[in-house]
Amino acid sequence: MKFGQLFAVAGCTALLGACSGSSLLPGQDGPLSRLDVEDMGIAVAADSQREYSFTDKKASFWYGMTHTDNWDDWHSGWNIAKRRLLSDYTVGVDGDTLSRREAEVTVYPYKINRVYAKARENFYMFDRVELLYVELSDVKGDSVWIELSPRLISAGKQGATGIEFAPKESAGGVITLQPFKDVACRWNGTRLMAPADAGGFIISYTEDGSAAQVAALFRRDHEKMLSERIDRMNALVEKSNPLSSDNDTLDRAMAWIVLTTDELITCQQGNGIYAGLPWFNEYWGRDMFISMPGAVFCTGQWETARSIFSDFAKFQDRNPESETLGRIPNRANLEGIIYNTADGTPRFVTDVYEYMQYTGDTTYLASIYPAIELSINSVIERGTDTDGFLVHADADTWMDAKRQGKYPCSPRGNRAVDIQALWYGQLRSGAEMARIMGHDDEGRRWDLAADSLLAKFNRMFVNTADTLVYDHLNADGTPDRQYRPNMLYALDMVADTAVVMKETRDAWRRLVYPWGVASLDQNDPQFHPYHENWHHYHKDDAYHNGTVWLWNNGMAMQRMIEAGQQDIAWQLFENMNRQALYEGAVGSLSENADAWPRKGTQWARRSGTFLQAWSNAEQIRVWYQGFLGIRPALLDGSITLAPRIPSALNTLRYSELIGNGRLLGAFERTADCRIYEYRLSGIAARLKFDIEDFATFDLAVAEGSTVRVKVTDTELTASVTDRDGKTTSKIAIAPDPAKAARQQAMDRYFDGTHFAVPSMKENLPSLSRYFDPPLDYSSIE
């Protein structure tokens, strides 16, 4: 059995000799996590400098490098609502510049701290305030000064309350530079100088002449504003998503990933989630609804979820003459709305249903149901073929790259496998919501459409003879056999277990590298090993033809976990945690990576945006829904618990917000047993258990009660204790021979499964041409 395959991992505590008899969970109000944002600082050495970012949770972000002086990159510095305001700043003491290259740097979720020989600098942003604070303390000198990088701003001039600059990309807006304290200062045309005890400098942005009021308010309330920002962040890592284990990398990485994901939840154009930083600081329907389960549901942000659904539903295409009638936008930004995605709308619908499963909230459905109804009926009436498959254009899937906006780089029209899986989920979720609304006839009609779709899918997409699932059906009906990760999203629809197992194993061996999931098998003639390789090909040709996409890691791991292979999945999960802590942007997962390491290196280079919402969110989701196995279903008053804890972990304590309360959990592995413990706080539910090789069972659990499940090789015992310490029920179950046999067969099948190994061939078609000078974005070649 899987749980018997234990191995030593650095940093893990030793296995205990016997099962603990005491509760693994603290008292009713006891803390679960030892981390808060003050404990989460990551020190960065000068020779391994890293990117970092902050947002104000409204419409602005700061993007910097830990040790680069006066950084002037494409999106560096301060950006508000797609406008670049300021690329960087430089500070100094007396006549000396404080060089970041010589600083000791520590990045926290809410600030960056730089310690120089002559001063200490803390840089802050604040929630929903268009203001930066560069705090300078421990100054060894008589004066401090600051210069703003000039490229994006006009020359400074003395204003009524400070030095004023006109940002070139924001007509009518004003950047105002002032000392933190209201003290006498001097401006020499480029540099603002103040006494050493001035406390640093305020940089504000206003469009209504209110710089003086903004500065006065900040000087008065800055401690309160900082405290509120810290408290909000700590609420996520201490209350919503606390985690304490015998693996410090896990604890710290998950806390960081939760917080950097949350910084992307903004209210720039209504409520939404930035697709990624630095250049996707806008809302993409596809990205947002892929991200919501991990970013919003697993973190218990129910009001945010409702706001995002309502605000984005307002953009639904309701033009009866439109070819995209019923679609939720692919992209909503300040320049316009576009609907070129077939997958954003199904995910919108399934996310609304999942929200209700997490909360039990059916009252919200009435306000959003018209959008759901239109989205489904418009496809049935005009968006399917004669077999009921959803049809779409070549670039209307997530593999949407078009060179010069015209030429699809990875055409997958007109019936992609992942789109059919999403359409099936949209029909099933919609049918359940129709019944909740009392639209029983509509629910039956949508269920019948889903039944037919499922049957046709297994006949036309699933090749049982070759044990594979096609990536898409071409417009002429022929199947496309390119090997991509998209079939992973459709395996729930596949009736043949052998096909499911083989596709899961083959995906790992052919697509899943230690740094993430490639978008195309390396043996395909279209394979491009490096994302950016301009001497050989246009970047967009590689985007979905070999480039690794970290968001696909979540589904690749989920399928392995479902097969009982959590130790295989854990290897990739742990690699992502290490990236967040020690590589690239601090606390973040990137959008992409090369499929192959560059020559002379052992690890693939990251690429794309440095902080991508769906990469982060899928890491969160697969932790809670996959490894911890928490799947709320409050529409029927239940929560399924199917933990698959990797053998690298011996102790765990955690919590997740569900409905109006939360589920607290704990795990302990000893030499001869495993203990799972759960407590419901502020909520009652029927807990449905799926534990290892034992028959499934369920228990009705009252608010405040604790369930303790003890598992050995020969027996599972479960007991429920109420908040007064009284045992209210107890059961014992022997191993299920059929379930154990199935798991043993899967263990044998997956034995030896490994990451894809780069072949490093030099005769690839994609490398056959060399361009000097290299291509650029305008190239058609």
Side-chain angles (χ1 to χ4, degrees):
M1 289 183 281
K2 237 14 213 182
F3 52 74
Q5 300 170 4
L6 306 178
F7 56 87
V9 175
C12 289
T13 60
L15 295 179
L16 301 177
C19 286
S20 170
S22 58
S23 175
L24 305 180
L25 289 167
Q28 293 290 336
D29 299 314
L32 289 177
S33 174
R34 62 181 183 274
L35 283 178
D36 62 28
V37 293
E38 296 290 357
D39 302 318
M40 291 171 58
I42 294 179
V44 182
D47 60 358
S48 60
Q49 70 164 322
R50 301 176 64 181
E51 299 160 295
Y52 66 95
S53 64
F54 306 112
T55 74
D56 68 356
K57 295 283 288 177
K58 182 181 178 183
S60 80
F61 72 90
W62 178 270
Y63 170 38
M65 291 289 282
T66 56
H67 291 86
T68 298
D69 290 317
N70 198 25
W71 194 33
D72 195 4
D73 193 52
W74 185 20
H75 286 280
S76 63
W78 200 12
N79 298 256
I80 295 182
K82 302 286 290 183
R83 296 165 294 173
R84 296 170 296 174
L85 297 189
L86 174 67
S87 60
D88 206 350
Y89 63 89
T90 303
V91 291
V93 173
D94 296 337
D96 297 328
T97 297
L98 299 179
S99 175
R100 294 169 182 166
R101 289 172 293 178
E102 300 172 1
E104 296 177 6
V105 180
T106 306
V107 182
Y108 296 84
Y110 70 99
K111 70 176 181 179
I112 181 169
N113 171 255
R114 294 185 176 100
V115 179
Y116 308 94
K118 288 192 172 184
R120 176 186 296 269
E121 173 197 356
N122 281 311
F123 172 88
Y124 302 95
M125 292 187 81
F126 300 88
D127 288 356
R128 300 174 186 265
V129 179
E130 292 170 339
L131 178 146
L132 312 175
Y133 177 32
V134 182
E135 180 186 38
L136 293 172
S137 60
D138 299 336
V139 177
K140 298 177 178 62
D142 297 322
S143 65
V144 293
W145 56 265
I146 188 169
E147 286 183 8
L148 303 188
S149 301
R151 183 172 64 87
L152 298 176
I153 56 177
S154 67
K157 62 180 182 179
Q158 185 70 52
T161 59
I163 310 304
E164 296 180 349
F165 305 83
K168 296 177 182 178
E169 293 190 10
S170 185
V174 176
I175 294 174
T176 304
L177 176 63
Q178 309 171 62
F180 170 68
K181 294 181 180 178
D182 190 8
V183 296
C185 55
R186 184 165 62 89
W187 170 248
N188 70 359
T190 58
R191 196 176 276 185
L192 182 63
M193 291 164 280
D197 62 354
F201 300 91
I202 303 168
I203 308 169
S204 62
Y205 173 77
T206 57
E207 296 179 349
D208 57 2
S210 61
Q213 296 95 310
V214 169
L217 180 66
F218 179 72
R219 287 168 179 145
R220 187 192 73 191
D221 293 341
H222 67 280
E223 290 183 356
K224 178 175 178 286
M225 293 164 64
L226 179 60
S227 177
E228 289 174 347
R229 185 166 167 92
I230 290 173
D231 289 347
R232 175 182 60 77
M233 293 180 178
N234 277 336
L236 283 168
V237 298
E238 290 183 325
K239 297 176 182 177
S240 301
N241 297 85
L243 171 62
S244 178
S245 75
D246 56 343
N247 186 310
D248 185 61
T249 297
L250 170 66
D251 298 0
R252 293 172 62 81
M254 290 305 295
W256 264 103
I257 290 170
V258 164
L259 291 177
T260 55
T261 304
D262 188 68
E263 77 177 51
L264 299 175
I265 301 174
T266 60
C267 54
Q268 175 168 291
Q269 190 177 8
N271 291 279
I273 305 173
Y274 282 163
L277 296 179
W279 52 79
F280 289 145
N281 56 318
E282 58 192 356
Y283 302 153
W284 289 66
R286 171 192 301 124
D287 298 54
M288 184 151 53
F289 298 121
I290 288 172
S291 301
M292 279 191 72
V296 181
F297 301 161
C298 290
T299 58
Q301 300 185 66
W302 313 132
E303 183 178 352
T304 297
R306 292 189 295 270
S307 297
I308 290 175
F309 290 141
S310 297
D311 287 349
F312 225 67
K314 294 174 185 176
F315 299 129
Q316 185 178 33
D317 187 349
R318 296 187 176 90
N319 179 2
E321 305 301 318
S322 172
E323 293 183 355
T324 57
L325 174 66
R327 279 191 181 182
I328 300 296
N330 184 33
R331 188 168 67 215
N333 60 29
L334 301 172
E335 285 76 45
I337 309 296
I338 59 175
Y339 296 95
N340 61 330
T341 176
D343 50 1
T345 305
R347 290 186 182 276
F348 164 78
V349 173
T350 56
D351 277 5
V352 171
Y353 184 66
E354 189 169 1
Y355 158 80
M356 291 197 299
Q357 293 285 40
Y358 267 86
T359 63
D361 175 16
T362 58
T363 59
Y364 172 71
L365 181 58
S367 66
I368 206 76
Y369 186 76
I372 293 167
E373 188 176 40
L374 177 61
S375 76
I376 296 175
N377 286 334
S378 61
V379 174
I380 291 175
E381 292 166 8
R382 62 175 73 180
T384 59
D385 66 7
T386 56
D387 292 306
F389 294 127
L390 193 158
V391 296
H392 54 84
D394 277 338
D396 275 7
T397 76
W398 75 274
M399 293 183 163
D400 59 357
K402 285 185 178 181
R403 193 116 54 81
Q404 295 184 320
K406 300 178 182 178
Y407 311 103
C409 300
S410 309
R412 300 181 62 232
N414 63 354
R415 286 154 291 177
V417 65
D418 46 318
I419 300 301
Q420 307 318 313
L422 293 170
W423 171 226
Y424 178 76
Q426 183 178 5
L427 286 167
R428 289 296 192 209
S429 297
E432 290 297 322
M433 290 186 282
R435 282 187 277 274
I436 292 171
M437 289 294 298
H439 298 187
D440 291 351
D441 289 345
E442 195 159 51
R444 280 191 292 272
R445 182 161 61 91
W446 293 348
D447 264 336
L448 288 172
D451 291 342
S452 176
L453 178 67
L454 183 63
K456 296 285 184 64
F457 180 89
N458 276 277
R459 285 204 301 271
M460 299 174 68
F461 273 87
V462 181
N463 183 328
T464 55
D466 294 339
T467 54
L468 62 85
V469 180
Y470 299 125
D471 180 74
H472 63 274
L473 301 182
N474 296 306
D476 63 4
T478 58
D480 186 282
R481 298 172 69 107
Q482 280 193 305
Y483 202 79
R484 298 179 178 278
N486 302 301
M487 48 55 196
L488 291 170
Y489 294 90
L491 294 184
D492 289 335
M493 296 178 69
V494 177
D496 192 318
T497 303
V499 174
V500 174
M501 290 172 63
K502 187 172 185 295
E503 287 287 50
T504 300
R505 185 181 67 178
D506 285 1
W508 212 267
R509 291 177 172 180
R510 297 173 65 175
L511 298 173
V512 183
Y513 295 90
W515 36 87
V517 180
S519 47
L520 184 65
D521 177 31
Q522 63 182 332
N523 294 309
D524 192 289
Q526 288 184 251
F527 178 73
H528 294 63
Y530 310 110
H531 188 188
E532 296 187 59
N533 196 17
W534 291 98
H535 279 293
H536 289 280
Y537 46 76
H538 192 286
K539 175 181 178 179
D540 285 347
D541 287 334
Y543 206 32
H544 302 103
N545 292 318
T547 297
V548 162
W549 288 77
L550 274 65
W551 81 276
N552 286 315
N553 294 358
M555 187 55 67
M557 289 186 280
Q558 178 178 319
R559 295 309 183 197
M560 274 295 175
I561 294 168
E562 289 169 351
Q565 308 305 308
Q566 54 268 22
D567 285 340
I568 297 175
W570 173 257
Q571 297 174 57
L572 182 59
F573 188 81
E574 194 171 38
N575 286 347
M576 295 303 102
N577 287 340
R578 284 197 295 267
Q579 179 182 137
L581 293 182
Y582 307 120
E583 304 168 14
V586 176
S588 307
L589 296 179
S590 60
E591 176 188 13
N592 303 118
D594 290 339
W596 291 355
R598 304 277 172 148
K599 288 186 178 180
T601 66
Q602 298 296 315
W603 204 261
R605 186 170 72 182
R606 292 169 304 279
S607 62
T609 60
F610 68 83
L611 166 55
Q612 186 78 357
W614 58 15
S615 299
N616 271 27
E618 278 294 273
Q619 186 81 348
I620 298 169
R621 184 193 65 79
V622 80
W623 170 249
Y624 284 96
Q625 295 185 358
F627 290 109
L628 298 182
I630 304 171
R631 300 304 298 261
L634 293 193
L635 289 176
D636 68 6
S638 70
I639 302 170
T640 294
L641 298 170
R644 298 294 183 265
I645 310 300
S647 56
L649 302 176
N650 295 320
T651 62
L652 279 174
R653 291 199 301 177
Y654 54 88
S655 173
E656 184 178 11
L657 297 180
I658 297 175
N660 294 322
R662 62 174 177 154
L663 174 76
L664 292 83
F667 169 77
E668 180 181 279
R669 186 196 312 275
T670 73
D672 53 11
C673 75
R674 291 150 306 286
I675 297 176
Y676 303 87
E677 197 165 276
Y678 301 94
R679 180 183 302 142
L680 293 180
S681 176
I683 184 174
R686 179 167 291 276
L687 299 185
K688 299 181 178 180
F689 292 91
D690 179 358
I691 304 288
E692 298 164 351
D693 291 347
F694 295 84
T696 59
F697 63 97
D698 60 87
L699 296 166
V701 180
E703 191 279 328
S705 296
T706 299
V707 179
R708 184 179 179 88
V709 180
K710 177 181 175 182
V711 181
T712 69
D713 288 343
T714 59
E715 187 182 51
L716 176 152
T717 57
S719 60
V720 180
T721 305
D722 65 20
R723 61 168 55 248
D724 296 324
K726 180 182 177 182
T727 299
T728 58
S729 62
K730 189 172 183 178
I731 63 171
I733 303 173
D736 181 343
K739 190 176 180 184
R742 285 194 300 270
Q743 186 59 58
Q744 288 166 5
M746 284 195 287
D747 291 348
R748 289 192 296 269
Y749 186 81
F750 287 97
D751 185 38
T753 299
H754 53 74
F755 286 121
V757 179
S759 65
M760 305 303 290
K761 297 176 182 176
E762 295 185 359
N763 61 342
L764 296 175
S766 62
L767 303 179
S768 63
R769 292 189 293 175
Y770 187 85
F771 298 92
D772 195 11
L775 301 171
D776 59 29
Y777 283 103
S778 65
S779 303
I780 300 179
E781 284 288 348

